[in-house]
C-alpha cells in the first residue's frame, strides 16, 4: 500500500511556484525563511532562486547586506499548455494582490463563441446554455470583476 500513500502526498504547486509565491509575498524575505515556509532545504531554495532568475522570473537586487527580489511582471508560464499566460495572475491569486487586468486569460487565444447561426449539433451554444468560456446567462452575475 506504499503507492497509495505516495499518491495522497501530491500537491498542485511545484517547489518553484512555492518559492516564487513566498518571494512575491515578501520581496525582502531571507532564503532561510523561504526554506522554512516551503519545507525545503536552504540549498534547494538557493538553486530554485537561481533557476527563476536565469529564466527571467525574478531579479536579485542588493539592498545593503541583504537581497531584495523583484518579480518580472511579464513572465509567462513555461509549459505549452499555458503558453502566453502570465505568472502574475497566479501570484495575485495566491498572494491576494491585484492581478494585471491586461494579462491573458488561462485559455488565451481560445474563443469558443460562435455568433454565426448553424445547424443544431447539440452543443451548448446551439441551445442557449452558457459555457465556461461564453458570456454568462443574462440573469446571472459574472464572477469575474
Amino acid at each position: 500500500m506504499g503507492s497509495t500513500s505516495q499518491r495522497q502526498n501530491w500537491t498542485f504547486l511545484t517547489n518553484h511556484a512555492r518559492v516564487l509565491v513566498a518571494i512575491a509575498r515578501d520581496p525582502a524575505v531571507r532564503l532561510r525563511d523561504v526554506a522554512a515556509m516551503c519545507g525545503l532545504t536552504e540549498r534547494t531554495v538557493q538553486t530554485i532562486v537561481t533557476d527563476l532568475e536565469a529564466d527571467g522570473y525574478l531579479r536579485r537586487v542588493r539592498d545593503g547586506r541583504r537581497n531584495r527580489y523583484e518579480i518580472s511582471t511579464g513572465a509567462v508560464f513555461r509549459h505549452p499548455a499555458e503558453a502566453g499566460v502570465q505568472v502574475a495572475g497566479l501570484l495575485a491569486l495566491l498572494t491576494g494582490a491585484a492581478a494585471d487586468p491586461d494579462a491573458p486569460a488561462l485559455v488565451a487565444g481560445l474563443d469558443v463563441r460562435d455568433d454565426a447561426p448553424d445547424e443544431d449539433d447539440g452543443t451548448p451554444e446551439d441551445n442557449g446554455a452558457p459555457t465556461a468560456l461564453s458570456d454568462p446567462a443574462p440573469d446571472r452575475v459574472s464572477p469575474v470583476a
Side-chain angles (χ1 to χ4, degrees):
M1 295 281 172
S3 63
T4 302
S5 64
Q6 281 287 13
R7 281 189 241 168
Q8 292 175 353
N9 292 329
W10 67 273
T11 60
F12 279 105
L13 299 178
T14 65
N15 290 335
H16 282 68
R18 277 190 198 90
V19 168
L20 192 60
V21 167
I23 291 171
R25 287 180 177 151
D26 179 7
V29 69
R30 295 181 311 166
L31 295 187
R32 174 178 296 151
D33 297 332
V34 173
M37 282 185 267
C38 297
L40 302 169
T41 66
E42 192 171 347
R43 178 72 178 149
T44 298
V45 171
Q46 289 171 349
T47 301
I48 289 171
V49 167
T50 300
D51 288 347
L52 293 170
E53 188 175 26
D55 288 339
Y57 289 93
L58 60 81
R59 187 171 80 107
R60 286 183 236 221
V61 178
R62 291 298 288 175
D63 188 9
R65 296 180 62 202
R66 307 241 344 236
N67 286 325
R68 183 167 189 80
Y69 301 92
E70 296 175 355
I71 305 292
S72 301
T73 56
V76 295
F77 287 102
R78 294 178 53 173
H79 195 279
E82 298 89 24
V85 179
Q86 293 183 357
V87 174
L90 177 67
L91 293 176
L93 176 70
L94 296 175
T95 63
D100 178 7
D102 295 326
L106 185 57
V107 287
L110 182 62
D111 186 6
V112 297
R113 289 181 281 180
D114 185 7
D115 297 329
D118 58 5
E119 296 177 23
D120 184 9
D121 59 1
T123 61
E125 293 84 11
D126 293 323
N127 64 18
T131 64
L133 300 175
S134 67
D135 293 328
D139 60 336
R140 296 185 190 158
V141 177
S142 176
V144 180

